[in-house]
Amino acid sequence: MAPDALQFFVTGTDTGVGKTQVSCALLSLLKDAGYQPQGFKPYESGCASLKAPADALAMREAAGSTLSVDAVCPHRFKAPLAPGIAAARLGKEPDFGVTRAAWKRLKGGTVVVGGGL
């Protein structure tokens, strides 16, 4: 039986530096250790498909999760830019209330959050 829930935040300063790979490795190890981890990627940019954000889906698969894509990744952008810049170019600002609601759905369990600076 796994001990109390754990929470990790994986970050880096650029795209393509391995944040998702590290997040997936952590999720896989946590699952193997008896946890029921969830991946959470609140903002993903550079999405070839907004319906199928590659990083969030990889994290969901590594965790063995059945959460919806919207629960794992509530904000998605096509432009391969920092999410805030990608949103600004669309004349939008991501609703933090949506982000917070998605986080609350995780109910304080074991989570790996993937994000950038």
Side-chain angles (χ1 to χ4, degrees):
M1 185 57 91
D4 294 333
L6 303 171
Q7 296 178 341
F8 298 90
F9 186 82
V10 177
T11 191
T13 59
D14 207 346
T15 58
V17 296
K19 297 182 298 287
T20 298
Q21 289 82 0
V22 169
S23 296
C24 287
L26 277 170
L27 288 162
S28 181
L29 289 168
L30 289 164
K31 184 174 68 169
D32 290 348
Y35 291 90
Q36 294 179 318
Q38 298 295 341
F40 186 55
K41 181 138 178 110
Y43 308 92
E44 185 171 339
S45 56
C47 298
S49 167
L50 295 179
K51 292 183 180 186
D55 291 354
L57 290 176
M59 290 174 67
R60 185 176 75 171
E61 183 178 337
S65 174
T66 59
L67 287 177
S68 71
V69 173
D70 288 334
V72 176
C73 184
H75 303 285
R76 303 179 289 272
F77 305 96
K78 284 192 177 247
L81 306 165
I85 295 170
R89 286 195 177 174
L90 294 172
K92 297 181 179 181
E93 184 171 328
D95 183 347
F96 188 71
V98 171
T99 308
R100 199 164 87 120
W103 174 254
K104 285 184 174 185
R105 281 192 292 265
L106 299 174
K107 296 181 173 63
T110 295
V111 180
V112 175
V113 180
L117 297 175

